[in-house]
Amino acid sequence: MERFALAAAVVLGFALTAALCSLFVPLRRVLERREQQQQPVQSEQPRPAPLRAPLWGGLCAAAGTVTAVGVGWLAACVGQPELLGSEGRLMTRLLTALAGSLAFGAVGLAEDLARMRSPAALGLRRDVRLLLEALAAAFVLLLLRAAGCLPRGLGVPGAGYVLLGSAVPFLWTVLMVALAECARIAERDEGAVCGAAFVAMLALMMVEAGLGVSGLAVLPAALAGALVALLLWAFPPARLGVGCCGSLLAAGAIGCIPLSLDMTSLTVPLALPFWAAGGLLAAQLLCAKRTGKPLRCWVKMSPETVFLCSFALSAVGYVLALALLRWC
């Protein structure tokens, strides 16, 4: 029954997301055509860029994931009714991870809406965005603390489980906000975000199944199916954007699922492509500040090459995550 629940989550997440994306792509074309018709034929002002709908892909993935998780968890509980009253608070952990992922996705949605208000909009102010991401992380930590599931330490290779005391909430908040910012940077190459998050969800699904908590694996299974469907439209050249909504939804899942399992150390290897994107931009900013020259892109690669590199980093992170479980 557990395998059926996981299969149902994957298939339903894929089917619902694909169906929603197939509806939004024609709608995007209609809106673009209408915008072009409303512009004057001859105008001294330059024509605005074609209408983009960056948030639609993320919304499709979120809707498909939530529905698939509900059906998958229901199927798991039918086969194992003891999941509802488990001593490990499995249902609480699952709902917390799902709520945290959606909270970060909501921050991304606000960012996308701010971008769409005007062609020149750059999104939310940095301080506002960081505050919202910190509040989303605090929301997850409060839910885990109220349920008695808040991690007290961190698994360190060679040292085992190291207790961190009162620094735990601060460290987890910083880690999740940094992960969200790196995912926002990687969102420029939207296919890369889907591919990297898909590999991370496969790893988390295998980890939870190996730990004997297959009921919790319905969340990464559903999101994996949704990401595969979204990748059909987001792979370069993208017909439907993932946007910050989809990127932060994936980043929230990579951060919140290990946090709910008390395995936060897995977040570092599983998000390796995101850390690489954030680190590259930070290095460029530091170099530009020291030299006084304008910021430039060091490496010019095609979107397909970026996707392949990101997928390779995801595979490396997958191997490192499995090795980390053995070392800790």
Side-chain angles (χ1 to χ4, degrees):
M1 195 64 184
E2 295 177 356
R3 294 181 179 179
F4 173 77
L6 293 181
V10 172
V11 173
L12 194 57
F14 175 87
L16 289 176
T17 304
L20 291 174
C21 288
S22 63
L23 293 176
F24 276 113
V25 168
L27 179 59
R28 175 189 178 184
R29 295 174 181 172
V30 171
L31 292 177
E32 288 179 347
R33 192 179 304 114
R34 180 176 300 177
E35 183 185 80
Q36 293 175 358
Q37 292 176 353
Q38 291 177 353
Q39 298 297 325
V41 178
Q42 295 180 352
S43 177
E44 297 180 357
Q45 298 181 353
R47 297 174 66 90
L51 181 65
R52 296 184 67 241
L55 63 90
W56 289 349
L59 287 177
C60 294
T65 299
V66 171
T67 307
V69 167
V71 174
W73 177 252
L74 179 61
C77 291
V78 170
Q80 291 182 306
E82 61 272 13
L83 291 176
L84 295 174
S86 173
E87 295 180 357
R89 301 180 179 90
L90 297 185
M91 187 172 181
T92 300
R93 295 177 187 271
L94 174 67
L95 294 178
T96 300
L98 179 60
S101 303
L102 295 176
F104 277 95
V107 176
L109 176 62
E111 174 81 5
D112 287 329
L113 290 174
R115 291 180 184 178
M116 293 182 67
R117 284 185 304 180
S118 114
L122 298 177
L124 298 173
R125 289 172 45 190
R126 181 182 303 175
D127 54 348
V128 174
R129 185 179 66 251
L130 292 177
L131 176 60
L132 292 177
E133 291 169 352
L135 290 176
F139 170 68
V140 177
L141 294 174
L142 287 175
L143 291 179
L144 291 174
R145 185 181 183 88
C149 304
L150 182 65
R152 297 177 299 169
L154 181 68
V156 179
Y161 194 79
V162 179
L163 297 178
L164 299 176
S166 58
V168 166
F170 175 76
L171 292 177
W172 292 173
T173 301
V174 171
L175 178 65
M176 296 178 71
V177 170
L179 176 57
E181 284 297 294
C182 290
R184 177 179 172 273
I185 295 171
E187 175 252 337
R188 299 171 184 175
D189 302 295
E190 294 164 338
V193 170
C194 291
F198 170 72
V199 176
M201 292 303 107
L202 287 183
L204 289 173
M205 185 172 62
M206 293 185 62
V207 167
E208 291 178 340
L211 293 175
V213 287
S214 299
L216 295 180
V218 296
L219 175 54
L223 189 52
L227 289 171
V228 171
L230 191 56
L231 190 58
L232 298 177
W233 280 268
F235 188 81
R239 291 176 292 168
L240 190 64
V242 178
C244 279
C245 180
S247 299
L248 265 64
L249 174 70
I254 296 175
C256 294
I257 295 176
L259 183 63
S260 66
L261 294 173
D262 197 0
M263 293 183 176
T264 314
S265 55
L266 294 180
T267 300
V268 176
L270 292 179
L272 192 57
F274 296 157
W275 301 125
L280 179 60
L281 180 60
Q284 292 182 30
L285 291 173
L286 181 61
C287 182
K289 184 177 181 180
R290 287 186 175 182
T291 60
K293 297 181 180 180
L295 181 64
R296 297 180 179 178
C297 181
W298 289 355
V299 182
K300 294 183 179 180
M301 297 185 295
S302 65
E304 293 79 5
T305 304
V306 173
F307 174 82
L308 292 176
C309 292
S310 177
F311 198 83
L313 285 175
S314 300
V316 173
Y318 176 85
V319 175
L320 290 177
L322 296 182
L324 187 62
L325 288 176
R326 294 194 297 267
W327 292 339
C328 294

